[in-house]
Amino acid sequence: MVTPVEPVAPGRDQVTSVLEAALAASRAEATEVVYVGSDDALTRFANNQVHQNVREHDTHLQVRVIDGGRLGVASTNRLDEDAIRDVVARAGAIAERAAPNPKLGPLPGPNTREAERDVGYVSATAEASPDRRAEGARAVIAAGAAENLIVSGSYATGTLAVAVANSSGLRAEHRTTHARLLTVMMDRLGGDAASGYANAASPDVSRIDAAAVGAEAADKAARSRGAIELEAGDYEVVLEEYAVATVLDYLGFIGFGALALEEGRSFMELGRRVMGENVSIWDDGTDPAGVPTPIDFEGVVKARVDLVRGGIATAVVHDSSTAHRAGTASTGHALPAPNLWGPLPTNLFMAGGDAPRSDLAAPIERGLWVTRFHYVNPVHAKRAILTGMTKDGTFLIENGRLTRPVLNLRFTQSIPEAFSEITAISRETRIVPSEYFGASRVPAVRVGRFSFTGVTAREGSG
């Protein structure tokens, strides 16, 4: 019998020593050292059975040097003395061979804002056992089995630690935890592949209600049986929180960052109305109501950035480089360097409204209820036109009621235009993890017009 070896993360003092050793080894004009440590556990289930439990610890050390306007970046996952000297030397060698970049700004100096080191850290999540995750998976499976559904999904818990030091005197660190349970349920009866989806996310594993996640997905899948084909066109819609979070993610990628604005490809026109006056969107990595990440990958403490306030485009997020070129301060939204995206918001919030979520469909004579989107891609970044498919629960609304399931449709829609026609916003909001970075806390919304440009063919047709 083999006893599994638990991964051991470096202690805080060891991480500090590693950062300082790397700085001391560099002879460049400016040096930045970033440590990222993750401890992730995952329980997977499929075909109504828990089938895998894994745990992984990883460490990543990245060194960025700037010398004579030249940039060099190198990384390693070893923390011994030889590896530290090697990664610093490699970063320096890359910088020597790089062309000067006149757009490079200086590394950020010491933080003027304070960040709570452990905001978003919950020991119960860091210590969550395989049994706890398996118990949650079994609750989800039971909900699906009661509806004769095939259940799959995953339950993840973990810890992320980030520490940054640079030659300008900045020192910063934080650690946070995350828990995420998601499931997709499919119809055992075949036909038009009815399906349902649900997920829950929180820094605190005790806030994950596995039975509720299972019941939500099972209800969607069971009600999706016998879907009808609906013609393409413009419909009044209710977008659930999953769908809202997905389109906000893409707005973040294509428009809420300073690099996109600088390069003229953002839909944001600062000071002008870009959405309805009932829409306010911001990013705040220090708010415990979301999934906090209070410093960025340059060690800068994150500031709340009001991106859209009352429909008016008010700001974009910055890292130190874009802030230098814009003559402003970093807002704490740097990704690991180098990257193609520039600064991005990863802790988005959208303000709730005054409508009970259960009443959103009530005024709609004929429209659609959308659970979520997938296969989403930008069509026109400047107008923030996205295309994608509905998935895992699309329903016809008739006279204020969800009456029949609908085969999935393709949408092609300018999101700022759609968000200019929001007629109601739910009071309730929920955390939805991003497909890429971070998480959002968002409401469900009713939109007066949303454009669907294609339909899914019924199985066996055509």
Side-chain angles (χ1 to χ4, degrees):
M1 180 177 182
V2 178
T3 302
V5 177
E6 290 293 310
V8 178
R12 184 178 182 183
D13 290 343
Q14 182 185 354
V15 171
T16 299
S17 296
V18 167
L19 297 180
E20 297 301 333
L23 286 179
S26 176
R27 298 294 178 264
E29 293 173 4
T31 305
E32 172 191 83
V33 189
V34 182
Y35 165 86
V36 179
S38 59
D39 193 355
D40 294 308
L42 178 68
T43 298
R44 286 192 176 102
F45 47 100
N47 294 317
N48 296 37
Q49 297 182 65
V50 176
H51 69 93
Q52 185 181 47
N53 183 71
V54 294
R55 185 178 176 191
E56 177 186 42
H57 177 75
D58 191 23
T59 58
H60 181 84
L61 189 71
Q62 177 173 292
V63 175
R64 173 169 58 148
V65 301
I66 301 173
D67 218 348
R70 296 173 169 86
L71 173 68
V73 179
S75 63
T76 181
N77 62 357
R78 292 170 48 202
L79 302 181
D80 58 273
E81 292 181 5
D82 289 344
I84 293 170
R85 285 193 295 268
D86 175 70
V87 73
V88 172
R90 285 191 287 116
I94 291 169
E96 287 177 5
R97 292 162 174 79
N101 183 351
K103 291 187 175 182
L104 281 180
L107 294 178
N111 280 301
T112 58
R113 298 187 293 269
E114 292 291 329
E116 183 183 340
R117 177 178 183 264
D118 288 342
V119 62
Y121 181 88
V122 180
S123 58
T125 307
E127 299 162 6
S129 67
D131 287 342
R132 180 167 195 162
R133 293 190 301 275
E135 181 182 350
R138 285 193 289 269
V140 172
I141 291 167
E147 294 288 351
N148 199 29
L149 298 165
I150 301 172
V151 182
S152 62
S154 64
Y155 198 167
T157 55
T159 304
L160 178 71
V162 177
V164 184
N166 73 27
S167 55
S168 296
L170 181 147
R171 302 291 186 274
E173 60 179 322
H174 83 83
R175 60 176 183 168
T176 188
T177 53
H178 57 270
R180 179 185 181 185
L181 173 61
L182 68 87
T183 183
V184 175
M185 300 186 183
M186 305 289 291
D187 193 357
R188 285 185 181 274
L189 304 178
D192 293 309
S195 62
Y197 172 88
N199 79 36
S202 175
D204 186 351
V205 69
S206 67
R207 293 183 177 272
I208 304 292
D209 186 339
V213 170
E216 180 184 351
D219 175 66
K220 286 281 175 63
R223 289 193 292 124
S224 292
R225 289 170 172 144
I228 63 170
E229 194 170 321
L230 197 67
E231 66 276 9
D234 292 346
Y235 289 89
E236 192 171 3
V237 299
V238 173
L239 302 181
E240 285 197 19
E241 297 89 342
Y242 306 126
V244 173
T246 294
V247 298
L248 279 193
D249 277 352
Y250 279 86
L251 293 185
F253 269 106
I254 65 179
F256 287 151
L259 185 62
L261 185 67
E262 179 184 322
E263 294 178 345
R265 52 185 171 82
S266 171
F267 66 92
M268 294 282 278
E269 297 182 58
L270 299 185
R272 301 189 63 179
R273 180 171 301 282
V274 293
M275 298 178 187
E277 62 182 13
N278 56 351
V279 177
S280 290
I281 301 166
W282 65 96
D283 187 89
D284 190 352
T286 66
D287 190 341
V291 179
T293 51
I295 66 171
D296 69 4
F297 288 97
E298 293 181 319
V300 177
V301 176
K302 294 188 175 185
R304 170 171 167 151
V305 180
D306 288 293
L307 302 159
V308 177
R309 186 188 300 127
I312 305 297
T314 52
V316 291
V317 299
H318 282 277
D319 58 18
S320 63
S321 185
T322 62
H324 172 73
R325 295 193 294 272
T328 187
S330 171
T331 59
H333 290 84
L335 298 181
N339 68 80
L340 300 175
W341 304 290
L344 292 179
T346 56
N347 302 92
L348 286 165
F349 290 77
M350 180 172 172
D354 55 10
R357 187 179 187 277
S358 57
D359 290 352
L360 288 177
I364 298 177
E365 292 185 9
R366 190 170 188 270
L368 287 170
W369 182 285
V370 176
T371 296
R372 71 180 185 121
F373 296 129
H374 79 137
Y375 289 158
V376 177
N377 283 289
V379 174
H380 193 299
K382 186 69 175 175
R383 294 181 57 197
I385 298 174
L386 304 179
T387 189
M389 301 292 294
T390 66
K391 188 172 175 63
D392 298 325
T394 307
F395 301 95
L396 182 65
I397 301 170
E398 295 177 297
N399 299 317
R401 295 176 56 249
L402 278 65
T403 56
R404 290 174 287 179
V406 174
L407 292 175
N408 289 317
L409 298 105
R410 171 169 294 280
F411 75 92
T412 305
Q413 175 67 55
S414 164
I415 301 306
E417 289 179 9
F419 277 28
S420 296
E421 297 196 38
I422 290 178
T423 56
I425 302 175
S426 69
R427 285 196 296 258
E428 306 92 335
T429 61
R430 70 187 296 174
I431 296 173
V432 181
S434 169
E435 296 179 24
Y436 302 100
F437 307 104
S440 302
R441 178 174 278 279
V442 298
V445 301
R446 184 173 68 233
V447 181
R449 184 178 60 185
F450 206 86
S451 181
F452 295 92
T453 52
V455 299
T456 302
R458 185 178 295 278
E459 187 176 342
S461 67

